[in-house]
């Protein structure tokens, strides 16, 4: 039987289409209950809310595709954010935001390499390694570097949080704009997509998740690929950390840690196989959108505070359930 | 070489033994001189409980007892219970607790009391397993007091929303319920549109929820908040939306955390009680109990705001001070720490 191109598309991106459909359906339901949902201010605000989780999710996605799990990335993010803020304030308080992000990213890469050493050279499972390194990095941060919230961040970090574009006037006359952070997130999503699709290392990430032994026999250098993966996770985490503190306008070393499971949930929700080898950047991004939408729209619908956590759980179960069901049906089981 | 190594090893072991012997002797002698009292807070490392640590330290310096403050690295009921378990095992004389979740600590506090440890709580007026719970003020009266301020800012009319740190945080719920009851009784033209949004003592959560509440209720004219991190989070959301003039705020927080937002009008008024005094007074009460004294109505515990203690008529282990402080732009300088 011949399969047409569009059929093929639909099949390959079936999962993404379902998630997209759920997002659209939820938006219509929420919007019909409270029309303020469609206000430009709210949409910009939702998009801004995807940035931190999104940057983390891109890294987490890479690891999941390669068939492993990393739960240390939020600790890395908090570490990079706090250490970079302190360093910059101490040495070059006038540094620009790009320099600050590069410093944070570099620290992140180094921390990611620690994970890579254990996972790649010592062949330990990622979950165990990152459980250890995550707690180690956080402990080191809180014990040796500080627990005080930094209330006065470098000026360029505050300025970064105020950069917006696509300005529109709201009903009350106040001008709102889309945060630059969203562009950063989408730019990195595209970059990761391109790397995965068009570079040998990128293809090797998928291959590694599919079948490790075969990947090695074909001649890929698995060590190199894994250093690439965990280095990238570290870099993105550093970026996410700095962006987070910039958005909050303070550097709180206690922030971020604790959100890692939501991030992984978003990536899995987006169709990335938890056992590796399968998944798309597009799906991961959609998963983040869906989770942010669920988490940030319940007040809008008027669901009482007491019910919100229960409702979040139900929606996640229903979304993953419908996706799983669809997949099973398509396999004819 | 081997012999040398062996010698070093033996010496090291002996030194170690001496050190241990010394250590245990120290602990024993200090128990004779004073009491060991641990203060367990909801979360360590935030300005509120840093300030409380100052009060606990001062108590130690004033009285010579061995006192310290600990708390989980994140607001988590289970971690707090774990810390209290450890303290019971260490055999301290008294534990002062600011519970994250009252229900969650009841069993472990019972265990502490059964072990003969004195238990003093703060921000937990419903607690059963404690010798005393000391509140800086009657929570319902404080909530009503904040509402009076909010109503004055709002001109007695308009939509308002409320926030709590956690739905299980009793004092937060009492402030908000007290405020709500006051609004119903005295300000019929005000409408509560979004009730008790949870912020988990997390600034980012508070920021996100405030943005959503503002989007959902474009006519929102006021908010009443509880947890310390909620005010700056909400203030940032108000500032970004440019709604300083439309939205009036009252909340419980610290001036230093809210300073930029109080200065530009994103936040209008915060109330607080000095956590240093609360920490000091909890330890003070622990000593009173350890020495077998009861706290009577009208007792003077020697700290401002706690100089005429009110004993709750319904619950003999519940004590109130009258220690609230209002902060606005006018008196912010005096309250920065």
């Amino acid at each position: 039987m011949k399969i047409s191109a569009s059929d093929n598309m639909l099949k390959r991106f079936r999962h993404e289409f379902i998630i997209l459909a759920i997002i659209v359906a939820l938006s219509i339901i929420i919007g019909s209950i409270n029309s303020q949902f469609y206000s430009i201010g709210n949409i910009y605000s939702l998009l801004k809310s995807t940035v931190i989780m999104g940057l983390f999710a891109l890294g987490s996605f890479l690891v999941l595709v390669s068939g492993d799990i990393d739960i240390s990335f939020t600790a890395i993010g908090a570490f990079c954010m706090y250490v970079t803020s302190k360093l910059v304030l101490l040495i070059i308080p006038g540094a620009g935001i790009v320099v600050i992000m590069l410093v944070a990213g570099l620290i992140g890469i180094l921390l990611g390499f620690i994970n890579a050493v254990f996972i790649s050279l010592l062949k330990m499972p990622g979950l165990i390694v990152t459980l250890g390194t995550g707690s180690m990095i956080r402990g080191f941060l809180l014990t040796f570097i500080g627990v005080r919230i930094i209330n006065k961040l470098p000026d360029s970090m505050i300025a970064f949080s105020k950069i917006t574009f696509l300005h529109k006037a709201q009903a009350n006359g106040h001008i709102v704009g889309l945060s630059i952070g969203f562009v950063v997130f989408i730019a990195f999503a595209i970059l990761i997509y391109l790397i995965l699709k068009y570079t040998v290392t990128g293809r090797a990430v998928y291959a590694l998740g599919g079948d490790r032994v075969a990947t090695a026999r074909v001649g890929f250098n698995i060590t190199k690929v894994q250093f690439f993966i965990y280095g990238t996770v570290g870099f993105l985490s550093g970026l996410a950390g700095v962006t987070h503190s910039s958005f909050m306008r303070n550097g709180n070393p206690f922030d971020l840690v604790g959100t890692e499971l939501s991030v992984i949930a978003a990536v899995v929700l987006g169709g990335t196989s938890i056992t590796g080898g399968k998944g798309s950047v597009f799906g991961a991004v959609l998963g983040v959108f869906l989770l942010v939408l669920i988490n940030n729209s319940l007040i809008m619908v008027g669901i009482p505070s007491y019910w919100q956590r229960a409702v979040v759980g139900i929606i996640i179960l229903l979304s993953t359930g419908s996706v799983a069901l669809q997949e099973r049906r398509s396999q004819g089981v | 070489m081997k012999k040398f190594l062996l010698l070093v090893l033996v010496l090291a072991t002996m030194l170690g033994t001496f050190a241990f012997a010394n250590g245990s002797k120290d602990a024993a002698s200090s128990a004779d001189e004073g009491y060991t009292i641990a203060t367990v807070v909801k979360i360590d490392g935030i300005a509120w409980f840093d300030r409380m640590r100052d009060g606990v330290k001062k108590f130690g310096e004033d009285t010579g007892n061995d006192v310290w403050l600990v708390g989980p690295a994140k607001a988590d009921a289970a971690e707090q219970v774990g810390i209290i378990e450890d303290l019971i095992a260490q055999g301290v004389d008294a534990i002062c607790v600011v519970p994250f979740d009252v229900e969650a600590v009841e069993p472990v506090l019972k265990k502490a009391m059964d072990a003969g440890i004195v238990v003093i709580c703060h921000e937990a007026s419903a607690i059963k397993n404690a010798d005393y719970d000391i509140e800086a003020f009657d929570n319902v009266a404080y909530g009503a007091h904040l509402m009076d301020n909010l109503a004055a800012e709002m001109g007695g009319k308009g939509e308002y929303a409320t926030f709590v740190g956690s739905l299980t945080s009793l004092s937060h719920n009492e402030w908000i319920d007290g405020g709500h009851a006051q609004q119903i009784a005295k300000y019929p033209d005000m409408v509560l549109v979004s009730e008790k949004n949870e912020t988990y003592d997390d600034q980012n959560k508070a920021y996100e929820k405030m943005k959503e509440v503002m989007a959902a209720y474009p006519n929102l004219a006021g908010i009443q908040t509880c947890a310390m991190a909620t005010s700056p989070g909400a203030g940032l959301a108000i500032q970004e939306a440019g709604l300083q003039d439309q939205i009036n705020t009252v909340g419980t927080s610290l001036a230093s955390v809210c300073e930029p937002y109080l200065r530009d009008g994103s936040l209008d008024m915060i109330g607080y009680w000095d956590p240093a005094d609360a920490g000091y007074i909890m330890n003070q009460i622990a000593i009173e109990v350890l020495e077998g004294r009861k706290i009577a109505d009208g007792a003077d515990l020697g700290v401002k705001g706690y100089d005429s203690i009110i004993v709750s008529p319904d619950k003999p282990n519940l004590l109130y001070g009258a220690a609230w402080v209002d902060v606005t732009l006018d008196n912010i300088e005096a309250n920065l720490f």
Side-chain angles (χ1 to χ4, degrees):
Chain A
M1 199 178 95
K2 254 180 97 178
I3 300 170
S4 74
S6 67
D7 258 10
N8 203 356
M9 258 308 255
L10 201 68
K11 214 163 217 157
R12 262 190 67 196
F13 290 105
R14 187 191 294 278
H15 200 114
E16 285 81 348
F17 280 121
I18 297 171
I19 296 294
L20 199 60
I22 294 174
I23 292 177
V24 171
L26 271 178
S27 302
I28 291 172
I29 294 170
I30 297 163
S32 69
I33 294 172
N34 191 334
S35 62
Q36 287 301 324
F37 176 75
Y38 296 124
S39 71
I40 193 73
N42 185 55
I43 290 171
Y44 280 171
S45 151
L46 282 176
L47 292 178
K48 186 181 177 188
S49 300
T50 62
V51 174
I52 310 299
M53 184 187 259
L55 286 171
F56 278 136
L58 291 175
S60 197
F61 163 75
L62 272 182
V63 179
L64 283 174
V65 166
S66 80
D68 232 318
I69 286 188
D70 179 345
I71 55 170
S72 67
F73 56 89
T74 51
I76 294 180
F79 188 93
C80 297
M81 171 261 280
Y82 197 70
V83 171
T84 308
S85 307
K86 275 206 143 173
L87 267 182
V88 169
L89 284 172
L90 208 67
I91 303 168
I92 29 167
I97 188 70
V98 177
V99 174
I100 294 176
M101 285 192 165
L102 284 178
V103 172
L106 213 68
I107 299 174
I109 290 176
L110 291 178
L111 293 174
F113 280 173
I114 298 180
N115 283 335
V117 165
F118 285 103
I119 292 167
S120 178
L121 300 182
L122 301 178
K123 302 206 169 37
M124 288 165 69
L127 180 65
I128 306 297
V129 169
T130 55
L131 195 66
T133 51
S135 140
M136 193 186 78
I137 290 167
R138 183 160 202 252
F140 189 82
L141 171 68
L142 298 179
T143 316
F144 296 110
I145 300 178
V147 291
R148 278 272 174 185
I149 297 171
I150 303 173
N151 278 317
K152 300 245 185 303
L153 286 179
D155 293 339
S156 60
M157 282 173 78
I158 304 291
F160 179 72
S161 75
K162 292 180 180 167
I163 303 174
T164 55
F165 60 102
L166 292 177
H167 294 117
K168 291 249 162 52
Q170 268 186 305
N172 63 10
H174 184 67
I175 310 283
V176 291
L178 181 58
S179 167
I180 184 87
F182 186 68
V183 180
V184 174
F185 164 37
I186 295 303
F188 274 98
I190 294 171
L191 185 68
I192 299 280
Y193 167 79
L194 293 176
I195 290 174
L196 284 182
K197 190 157 170 88
Y198 294 109
T199 69
V200 176
T201 311
R203 299 319 295 168
V205 174
Y206 276 101
L208 184 59
D211 189 333
R212 190 192 168 100
V213 178
T215 312
R217 296 235 170 108
V218 169
F220 284 115
N221 182 345
I222 292 185
T223 308
K224 211 177 101 188
V225 174
Q226 285 184 320
F227 270 85
F228 163 75
I229 293 170
Y230 293 97
T232 310
V233 172
F235 181 81
L236 289 168
S237 303
L239 221 58
V242 168
T243 311
H244 169 85
S245 68
S246 155
F247 281 2
M248 283 296 104
R249 307 206 185 152
N250 65 22
N252 184 346
F254 292 96
D255 274 359
L256 296 173
V257 174
T259 60
E260 56 274 354
L261 287 183
S262 306
V263 172
I264 293 173
V267 177
V268 174
L269 205 58
T272 305
S273 162
I274 203 142
T275 50
K278 264 195 300 190
S280 70
V281 175
F282 184 49
V285 171
L286 285 179
V288 171
F289 280 12
L290 180 57
L291 216 64
V292 167
L293 180 68
I294 296 169
N295 276 326
N296 291 283
S297 299
L298 297 179
I299 299 174
M300 191 81 71
V301 189
I303 293 172
S305 224
Y306 298 95
W307 272 97
Q308 289 185 6
R309 277 190 250 186
V311 172
V312 168
I314 291 168
I315 296 179
I316 289 178
L317 270 183
L318 285 181
S319 317
T320 37
S322 67
V323 167
L325 216 71
Q326 190 65 36
E327 218 149 65
R328 218 195 262 184
R329 209 175 290 156
S330 72
Q331 288 166 357
V333 181
Chain B
M1 188 65 198
K2 255 189 186 161
K3 263 188 187 160
F4 176 72
L5 271 180
L6 199 71
L7 190 71
V8 169
L9 210 70
V10 168
L11 273 176
T13 318
M14 277 168 69
L15 271 174
T17 324
F18 275 124
F20 268 112
N22 265 337
S24 54
K25 206 171 145 207
D26 271 356
S29 65
S30 77
D32 291 339
E33 286 161 16
Y35 297 107
T36 54
I37 306 173
T39 303
V40 185
V41 298
K42 291 182 198 184
I43 175 169
D44 199 4
I46 62 173
W48 184 268
F49 291 117
D50 282 349
R51 172 80 173 170
M52 185 173 281
R53 175 174 280 127
D54 294 343
V56 171
K57 258 192 200 144
K58 181 166 181 290
F59 183 82
E61 284 157 15
D62 288 358
T63 63
N65 290 296
D66 183 14
V67 297
W68 71 97
L69 181 142
V70 286
K74 63 173 186 198
D76 180 305
E79 282 190 34
Q80 196 181 33
V81 168
I83 291 175
I84 299 172
E85 291 272 7
D86 289 347
L87 290 169
I88 296 173
Q90 282 177 36
V92 294
D93 294 312
I95 301 176
C96 304
V97 190
V98 188
F100 178 68
D101 179 346
V102 171
E103 295 293 331
V105 294
E106 289 279 15
V108 72
L109 292 186
K110 178 162 193 315
K111 194 174 156 192
M113 291 185 76
D114 289 346
I117 297 171
V118 168
V119 175
I120 309 295
C121 288
H122 176 57
E123 285 190 64
S125 56
I127 198 98
K128 290 188 202 77
N129 294 299
D131 292 279
Y132 283 110
D133 175 78
I134 174 75
E135 300 295 310
F137 35 66
D138 176 12
N139 285 327
V140 174
Y142 174 67
H145 165 77
L146 286 180
M147 177 51 68
D148 288 337
N149 277 280
L150 182 62
E153 290 166 14
M154 290 169 64
K157 60 176 194 298
E159 295 179 355
Y160 75 100
T162 56
F163 294 79
V164 293
S166 142
L167 286 166
T168 51
S169 171
L170 192 76
S171 51
H172 290 185
N173 281 278
E174 286 178 337
W175 301 339
I176 295 301
D177 290 342
H180 192 195
Q182 179 81 344
Q183 176 260 311
I184 290 171
K186 279 181 69 183
Y187 311 105
D189 294 335
M190 286 171 68
V191 192
L192 176 57
V193 289
S194 182
E195 189 183 10
K196 291 186 184 173
N197 295 294
E198 257 184 316
T199 61
Y200 307 99
D201 295 6
D202 177 311
Q203 188 178 337
N204 187 38
K205 275 268 164 27
Y207 166 73
E208 297 277 346
K209 293 232 167 165
M210 184 62 197
K211 282 203 299 186
E212 197 190 340
V213 168
M214 289 190 303
Y217 304 98
N219 298 320
L220 191 76
I223 56 165
Q224 182 177 349
T225 66
C226 294
M228 190 193 75
T230 309
S231 282
L236 176 59
I238 293 170
Q239 188 189 74
E240 281 187 355
L243 294 176
Q244 287 95 334
D245 296 334
Q246 182 193 322
I247 299 181
N248 303 287
T249 75
V250 296
T252 302
S253 190
L254 282 184
S256 56
V257 178
C258 298
E259 191 187 355
Y261 307 108
L262 280 164
R263 290 211 187 276
D264 81 343
S266 303
L267 296 177
D268 301 299
M269 176 253 180
I270 55 168
Y272 81 102
W273 68 101
D274 193 334
D277 288 347
Y280 192 100
I281 216 75
M282 275 196 286
N283 281 275
Q284 174 78 41
I285 294 173
I287 296 283
E288 299 286 326
V289 175
L290 281 167
E291 309 215 311
R293 289 190 288 273
K294 275 211 167 328
I295 313 274
D297 213 33
D300 183 352
L301 296 177
V303 174
K304 189 175 170 293
Y306 301 92
D307 40 17
S308 177
I309 295 290
I310 303 162
V311 179
S312 163
D314 325 314
K315 205 166 164 281
N317 72 344
L318 176 55
L319 312 173
Y320 295 113
W324 69 58
V325 184
D326 293 351
V327 182
T328 61
L329 192 52
D330 303 327
N331 64 348
I332 186 169
E333 297 294 344
N335 289 288
L336 283 178
F337 59 75

